[in-house]
Amino acid sequence: MATLRLVGRRLLSSVPLLFVVSALTFVLVSLVPGDPARTLVGQHATATQYAAVRAQLGLDRPLVSQYGHWLAGAARGDLGASLFSGESVTSMLDSRLPVTLSLILAGTLVSGVLGLGLGLLSARRGGRLVRTVDGLALLGLGVPAFWFALVLILLFAVRLRWFPVTGYVPLTEDPGQWLRSLVLPVASLALGGVAVIAKQTRDAVLDAMGRDFVRVMTANGFSTRSITYRHVLRNAALPLVTVLGVVLVSLLAGTVFVETVFAMPGLGGLIQQATVEHDIPVIQGAVLYVSVLVVLVNLVVDLAYGRLDPRVRAA
């Protein structure tokens, strides 16, 4: 029951957030230089033709009226149509969502498993592994994902020909090729996440291993393996869950660049294209989808907190 109340509170509190984000996005997009009506009619169209297209697209109305029209449609589940293709925005986003979800879920999984393993090993063994984790953290935080993606393409796609240079194969079409098409993009995305989680894991585990309960359990004959995996990791889990949530959200931003480099038909590439074309309905819809994903990630993190620490669930 407490979990249901927590979910209800978080979902209700996300409604004003989504409203503010959508309103700010609408205002900011309107300030970006560019005119979709001029792009559609071309530079040689007459003033009458230009005005007719603006009226057809609804761009001649005040900004508040345009936003109100979009908001009313969004409340009914209608995100409008692209100004350029006329295709339903919902259909465009739904067809690209699986690509982005594949990237961020696989990137989070790789970041979590490798980061947790490296952090745990460096905390237990120290020495060279500590310096390796520090070096990896420096590399992961300092190297942009798109630059690392270009290096991976040059090495593993162009020279060794192990993976495709670009493109995406749906899971339902060929699971093996789907996995091959994700290896390099996920590796590009996960580098920073692995570094951050490894450092956080090492610090959290070292902090937990210095507490009194570990000394008491050691004195009572508990094995190091049992103490580490059954008790220390549980105490170190709360900050790790926080970092994992932050990493997942940061991967959403990283997909914009990675999808562009690997020519993948995901939300990131669609946002980049819509921004260049000043396609306001597509940008609004994509931002709404991304905002909902962020809300869901935060909700999962809150539920994980409640699972790990009952005091959070009762608060």
Side-chain angles (χ1 to χ4, degrees):
M1 196 64 185
T3 302
L4 289 177
R5 283 200 299 270
L6 175 65
V7 173
R9 285 200 305 269
R10 293 295 185 268
L11 290 179
L12 283 176
S13 64
S14 66
V15 174
L17 172 68
L18 295 176
F19 173 75
V20 171
V21 169
S22 66
L24 282 176
T25 303
F26 206 89
V27 172
L28 291 175
V29 171
S30 68
L31 296 177
V32 174
D35 187 345
R38 176 58 65 188
T39 304
L40 283 171
V41 299
Q43 296 298 323
H44 302 293
T46 64
T48 304
Q49 291 171 323
Y50 173 70
V53 171
R54 280 184 61 83
Q56 182 183 353
L57 299 177
L59 300 176
D60 59 336
R61 291 178 295 178
L63 193 62
V64 175
S65 174
Q66 293 180 44
Y67 177 68
H69 179 74
W70 178 86
L71 192 61
R76 299 192 303 271
D78 179 10
L79 297 179
S82 167
L83 298 180
F84 291 88
S85 67
E87 186 180 353
S88 164
V89 171
T90 304
S91 299
M92 295 173 70
L93 297 174
D94 287 346
S95 65
R96 291 169 175 262
L97 188 60
V99 181
T100 301
L101 285 180
S102 298
L103 281 175
I104 59 175
L105 292 179
T108 304
L109 180 65
V110 171
S111 300
V113 172
L114 291 183
L116 187 64
L118 278 174
L120 196 56
L121 279 175
S122 66
R124 289 189 59 189
R125 299 186 179 179
R128 186 176 299 177
L129 274 172
V130 173
R131 292 191 292 275
T132 301
V133 169
D134 288 339
L136 180 64
L138 188 63
L139 183 69
L141 296 175
V143 174
F146 69 88
W147 184 88
F148 188 54
L150 293 174
V151 173
L152 292 180
I153 289 175
L154 180 63
L155 289 177
F156 297 103
V158 176
R159 292 191 176 179
L160 298 175
R161 300 179 183 276
W162 289 354
F163 305 104
V165 177
T166 58
Y168 172 80
V169 178
L171 175 63
T172 54
E173 186 176 311
D174 188 332
Q177 293 301 318
W178 169 77
L179 191 59
R180 287 188 73 229
S181 68
L182 284 180
V183 170
L184 296 185
V186 168
S188 308
L189 276 175
L191 177 64
V194 171
V196 171
I197 293 175
K199 273 188 73 70
Q200 183 65 45
T201 300
R202 186 190 64 194
D203 295 344
V205 168
L206 288 176
D207 178 67
M209 291 180 76
R211 296 181 186 175
D212 291 339
F213 78 90
V214 173
R215 285 191 284 272
V216 172
M217 295 182 76
T218 304
N220 282 282
F222 286 86
S223 68
T224 303
R225 179 184 294 272
S226 172
I227 294 172
T228 302
Y229 292 104
R230 298 184 61 183
H231 302 282
V232 169
L233 272 183
R234 186 177 181 85
N235 280 271
L238 277 179
L240 293 180
V241 169
T242 304
V243 172
L244 200 59
V246 173
V247 166
L248 201 155
V249 172
S250 70
L251 293 184
L252 276 171
T255 56
V256 175
F257 304 103
V258 171
E259 287 177 6
T260 302
V261 171
F262 288 96
M264 303 181 78
L267 287 181
L270 183 65
I271 292 173
Q272 190 264 345
Q273 179 187 349
T275 303
V276 171
E277 294 177 340
H278 212 266
D279 197 340
I280 296 176
V282 175
I283 297 173
Q284 283 290 109
V287 170
L288 183 63
Y289 268 48
V290 171
S291 301
V292 170
L293 286 176
V294 172
V295 168
L296 292 178
V297 169
N298 286 326
L299 179 60
V300 171
V301 170
D302 286 340
L303 292 176
Y305 276 168
R307 182 74 178 174
L308 293 168
D309 188 348
R311 293 173 300 178
V312 177
R313 190 166 58 243

Coordinates of all heavy atoms in Angstrom, one line a residue, residues 156-199:
F156 N 36.9 -1.1 -35.3 CA 36.2 -2.4 -35.4 C 35.2 -2.6 -36.5 O 34.8 -3.7 -36.8 CB 35.4 -2.5 -34.0 CG 36.3 -2.6 -32.8 CD1 36.4 -1.5 -32.0 CD2 37.0 -3.8 -32.5 CE1 37.3 -1.6 -30.9 CE2 37.8 -3.9 -31.4 CZ 38.0 -2.8 -30.6
A157 N 34.9 -1.5 -37.2 CA 34.0 -1.6 -38.4 C 34.7 -1.4 -39.7 O 34.5 -2.2 -40.6 CB 32.9 -0.5 -38.3
V158 N 35.7 -0.5 -39.8 CA 36.3 -0.2 -41.0 C 37.5 -1.2 -41.2 O 37.7 -1.8 -42.2 CB 36.8 1.2 -41.1 CG1 37.6 1.5 -42.4 CG2 35.6 2.2 -41.1
R159 N 38.4 -1.3 -40.2 CA 39.6 -2.1 -40.3 C 39.3 -3.6 -40.1 O 39.7 -4.4 -40.9 CB 40.7 -1.6 -39.4 CG 41.2 -0.2 -39.8 CD 42.4 0.1 -39.0 NE 43.0 1.4 -39.4 CZ 44.1 2.0 -38.9 NH1 44.7 1.4 -37.9 NH2 44.5 3.1 -39.3
L160 N 38.7 -3.9 -38.9 CA 38.5 -5.3 -38.6 C 37.2 -5.9 -39.2 O 37.1 -7.1 -39.3 CB 38.5 -5.5 -37.1 CG 39.8 -5.1 -36.4 CD1 39.6 -5.1 -34.8 CD2 41.0 -6.0 -36.8
R161 N 36.3 -5.0 -39.5 CA 35.0 -5.5 -40.1 C 34.2 -6.4 -39.2 O 33.6 -7.3 -39.7 CB 35.2 -6.1 -41.5 CG 35.9 -5.2 -42.5 CD 36.1 -5.9 -43.8 NE 36.8 -5.0 -44.8 CZ 36.2 -4.1 -45.5 NH1 34.9 -3.9 -45.5 NH2 36.9 -3.3 -46.4
W162 N 34.3 -6.2 -37.9 CA 33.6 -7.1 -37.0 C 32.1 -6.7 -36.9 O 31.3 -7.5 -36.6 CB 34.2 -7.1 -35.6 CG 35.6 -7.8 -35.6 CD1 36.2 -8.5 -36.6 CD2 36.5 -7.8 -34.5 NE1 37.4 -9.0 -36.2 CE2 37.6 -8.6 -34.9 CE3 36.5 -7.3 -33.2 CZ2 38.7 -8.8 -34.0 CZ3 37.5 -7.5 -32.3 CH2 38.6 -8.3 -32.8
F163 N 31.9 -5.4 -37.0 CA 30.6 -4.8 -36.8 C 30.2 -3.9 -37.9 O 31.1 -3.3 -38.6 CB 30.5 -4.1 -35.4 CG 30.9 -4.9 -34.3 CD1 32.2 -4.7 -33.7 CD2 30.1 -5.9 -33.8 CE1 32.6 -5.5 -32.6 CE2 30.5 -6.7 -32.7 CZ 31.7 -6.5 -32.1
P164 N 28.9 -3.6 -38.1 CA 28.5 -2.7 -39.2 C 28.9 -1.3 -38.9 O 28.9 -0.9 -37.7 CB 27.0 -2.9 -39.3 CG 26.6 -3.4 -37.9 CD 27.7 -4.3 -37.5
V165 N 29.2 -0.5 -39.9 CA 29.6 0.9 -39.7 C 28.4 1.7 -39.1 O 28.5 2.5 -38.2 CB 30.1 1.5 -41.0 CG1 30.5 3.0 -40.8 CG2 31.3 0.8 -41.5
T166 N 27.3 1.6 -39.8 CA 26.1 2.3 -39.4 C 24.9 1.4 -39.5 O 24.9 0.3 -39.9 CB 25.9 3.6 -40.3 OG1 25.7 3.1 -41.7 CG2 27.0 4.5 -40.2
G167 N 23.7 2.0 -39.1 CA 22.4 1.3 -39.3 C 22.0 0.6 -38.0 O 22.7 0.4 -37.0
Y168 N 20.7 0.1 -38.1 CA 20.1 -0.6 -37.0 C 19.2 -1.7 -37.5 O 18.4 -1.4 -38.5 CB 19.3 0.4 -36.1 CG 18.4 -0.3 -35.1 CD1 19.0 -0.7 -33.9 CD2 17.0 -0.5 -35.3 CE1 18.2 -1.2 -32.9 CE2 16.3 -1.0 -34.3 CZ 16.8 -1.4 -33.1 OH 16.1 -2.0 -32.1
V169 N 19.3 -2.9 -37.0 CA 18.4 -4.0 -37.4 C 17.4 -4.3 -36.2 O 17.9 -4.5 -35.1 CB 19.2 -5.3 -37.7 CG1 18.3 -6.4 -38.1 CG2 20.3 -5.0 -38.8
P170 N 16.1 -4.2 -36.5 CA 15.1 -4.5 -35.4 C 15.3 -5.9 -34.8 O 15.7 -6.9 -35.6 CB 13.8 -4.4 -36.1 CG 14.1 -3.5 -37.3 CD 15.4 -3.9 -37.8
L171 N 15.0 -6.0 -33.6 CA 15.2 -7.3 -32.9 C 14.3 -8.4 -33.5 O 14.6 -9.5 -33.6 CB 14.8 -7.1 -31.4 CG 14.8 -8.4 -30.5 CD1 16.1 -9.0 -30.4 CD2 14.2 -8.0 -29.1
T172 N 13.1 -8.0 -33.9 CA 12.1 -8.9 -34.5 C 12.5 -9.4 -35.8 O 12.1 -10.5 -36.3 CB 10.7 -8.3 -34.6 OG1 10.8 -7.0 -35.3 CG2 10.1 -8.0 -33.2
E173 N 13.4 -8.7 -36.5 CA 13.8 -9.1 -37.8 C 15.0 -10.1 -37.8 O 15.0 -11.1 -38.5 CB 14.3 -7.8 -38.6 CG 14.6 -8.0 -40.1 CD 14.9 -6.7 -40.7 OE1 14.1 -5.8 -40.6 OE2 15.9 -6.6 -41.4
D174 N 16.0 -9.8 -37.0 CA 17.1 -10.7 -36.9 C 17.8 -10.4 -35.5 O 18.6 -9.5 -35.4 CB 18.1 -10.5 -38.0 CG 19.2 -11.5 -38.1 OD1 19.6 -12.0 -37.0 OD2 19.7 -11.8 -39.2
P175 N 17.6 -11.3 -34.5 CA 18.2 -11.0 -33.2 C 19.8 -10.9 -33.2 O 20.3 -10.1 -32.5 CB 17.8 -12.2 -32.3 CG 16.5 -12.6 -33.0 CD 16.7 -12.4 -34.5
G176 N 20.4 -11.7 -34.0 CA 21.9 -11.7 -34.1 C 22.4 -10.4 -34.7 O 23.3 -9.8 -34.1
Q177 N 21.8 -10.0 -35.8 CA 22.2 -8.7 -36.4 C 21.8 -7.5 -35.5 O 22.5 -6.5 -35.5 CB 21.5 -8.6 -37.8 CG 22.1 -9.6 -38.8 CD 23.6 -9.4 -39.0 OE1 24.1 -8.3 -39.0 NE2 24.3 -10.6 -39.0
W178 N 20.7 -7.6 -34.8 CA 20.3 -6.6 -33.9 C 21.4 -6.4 -32.8 O 21.7 -5.2 -32.5 CB 19.0 -7.0 -33.2 CG 18.6 -6.1 -32.0 CD1 18.0 -4.8 -32.1 CD2 18.7 -6.4 -30.6 NE1 17.8 -4.4 -30.8 CE2 18.2 -5.3 -29.9 CE3 19.2 -7.5 -29.9 CZ2 18.2 -5.3 -28.5 CZ3 19.2 -7.5 -28.6 CH2 18.7 -6.4 -27.8
L179 N 21.9 -7.5 -32.3 CA 22.9 -7.4 -31.3 C 24.2 -6.8 -31.9 O 24.9 -5.9 -31.3 CB 23.2 -8.8 -30.7 CG 24.1 -8.8 -29.5 CD1 23.5 -8.0 -28.3 CD2 24.3 -10.3 -29.0
R180 N 24.6 -7.2 -33.1 CA 25.8 -6.7 -33.8 C 25.6 -5.2 -34.0 O 26.6 -4.4 -33.9 CB 26.1 -7.4 -35.1 CG 26.6 -8.8 -34.9 CD 27.0 -9.3 -36.3 NE 28.2 -8.7 -36.7 CZ 28.4 -8.2 -38.0 NH1 27.4 -8.2 -38.8 NH2 29.5 -7.7 -38.3
S181 N 24.4 -4.7 -34.4 CA 24.2 -3.3 -34.7 C 24.3 -2.4 -33.4 O 24.4 -1.2 -33.5 CB 22.9 -3.1 -35.4 OG 21.8 -3.4 -34.5
L182 N 24.2 -3.1 -32.2 CA 24.1 -2.3 -31.0 C 25.5 -2.2 -30.3 O 25.7 -1.4 -29.5 CB 23.1 -2.9 -30.0 CG 21.6 -2.6 -30.3 CD1 20.8 -3.3 -29.2 CD2 21.3 -1.1 -30.3
V183 N 26.4 -3.1 -30.7 CA 27.7 -3.2 -29.9 C 28.4 -1.9 -29.9 O 28.8 -1.4 -28.8 CB 28.5 -4.4 -30.5 CG1 29.9 -4.4 -29.8 CG2 27.9 -5.7 -30.2
L184 N 28.7 -1.4 -31.0 CA 29.6 -0.2 -31.0 C 28.8 1.1 -30.5 O 29.4 1.8 -29.7 CB 30.0 0.1 -32.5 CG 31.0 -0.9 -33.1 CD1 31.5 -0.4 -34.5 CD2 32.2 -1.2 -32.2
P185 N 27.5 1.3 -30.8 CA 26.8 2.4 -30.2 C 26.7 2.3 -28.7 O 26.9 3.3 -28.0 CB 25.4 2.4 -30.9 CG 25.6 1.7 -32.1 CD 26.7 0.7 -31.9
V186 N 26.5 1.1 -28.2 CA 26.4 0.9 -26.7 C 27.7 1.1 -26.1 O 27.8 1.7 -25.0 CB 25.8 -0.5 -26.4 CG1 25.9 -0.8 -24.9 CG2 24.3 -0.5 -26.8
A187 N 28.8 0.6 -26.7 CA 30.1 0.8 -26.1 C 30.4 2.3 -26.1 O 31.0 2.8 -25.1 CB 31.2 0.1 -27.0
S188 N 30.0 3.1 -27.1 CA 30.3 4.5 -27.1 C 29.5 5.2 -25.9 O 30.1 6.1 -25.3 CB 29.9 5.1 -28.4 OG 30.4 4.5 -29.5
L189 N 28.3 4.8 -25.8 CA 27.5 5.4 -24.7 C 27.9 5.0 -23.3 O 27.9 5.8 -22.4 CB 26.0 5.0 -24.9 CG 25.1 5.7 -25.9 CD1 23.8 5.1 -26.0 CD2 25.0 7.2 -25.5
A190 N 28.3 3.8 -23.2 CA 28.6 3.2 -21.8 C 29.9 3.6 -21.2 O 30.0 3.5 -20.0 CB 28.5 1.7 -21.9
L191 N 30.8 4.1 -22.0 CA 32.2 4.4 -21.4 C 32.1 5.3 -20.2 O 32.7 5.0 -19.2 CB 33.1 5.0 -22.5 CG 34.5 5.4 -22.0 CD1 35.2 4.2 -21.6 CD2 35.2 6.2 -23.1
G192 N 31.4 6.4 -20.3 CA 31.3 7.4 -19.2 C 30.6 6.8 -18.0 O 31.0 7.0 -16.9
G193 N 29.5 6.0 -18.3 CA 28.7 5.4 -17.2 C 29.5 4.4 -16.5 O 29.5 4.3 -15.2
V194 N 30.3 3.6 -17.2 CA 31.2 2.6 -16.5 C 32.2 3.3 -15.6 O 32.4 2.9 -14.4 CB 32.0 1.8 -17.5 CG1 33.0 0.9 -16.9 CG2 31.0 0.9 -18.3
A195 N 32.7 4.4 -16.0 CA 33.7 5.1 -15.2 C 33.1 5.7 -14.0 O 33.6 5.5 -12.8 CB 34.3 6.2 -16.1
V196 N 32.0 6.3 -14.1 CA 31.3 6.9 -12.9 C 30.9 5.9 -11.9 O 31.1 6.0 -10.7 CB 30.1 7.8 -13.4 CG1 29.3 8.3 -12.2 CG2 30.6 9.0 -14.2
I197 N 30.2 4.8 -12.4 CA 29.7 3.8 -11.5 C 30.9 3.0 -10.8 O 30.8 2.7 -9.6 CB 28.8 2.8 -12.3 CG1 27.6 3.5 -12.7 CG2 28.5 1.6 -11.4 CD1 26.6 2.7 -13.6
A198 N 32.0 2.8 -11.6 CA 33.1 2.1 -10.9 C 33.7 2.9 -9.8 O 34.0 2.4 -8.7 CB 34.2 1.9 -12.0
K199 N 33.9 4.2 -10.0 CA 34.4 5.1 -8.9 C 33.5 5.2 -7.7 O 33.9 5.1 -6.6 CB 34.7 6.5 -9.5 CG 36.1 6.7 -10.1 CD 36.4 8.1 -10.4 CE 36.6 8.9 -9.2 NZ 37.9 8.6 -8.6

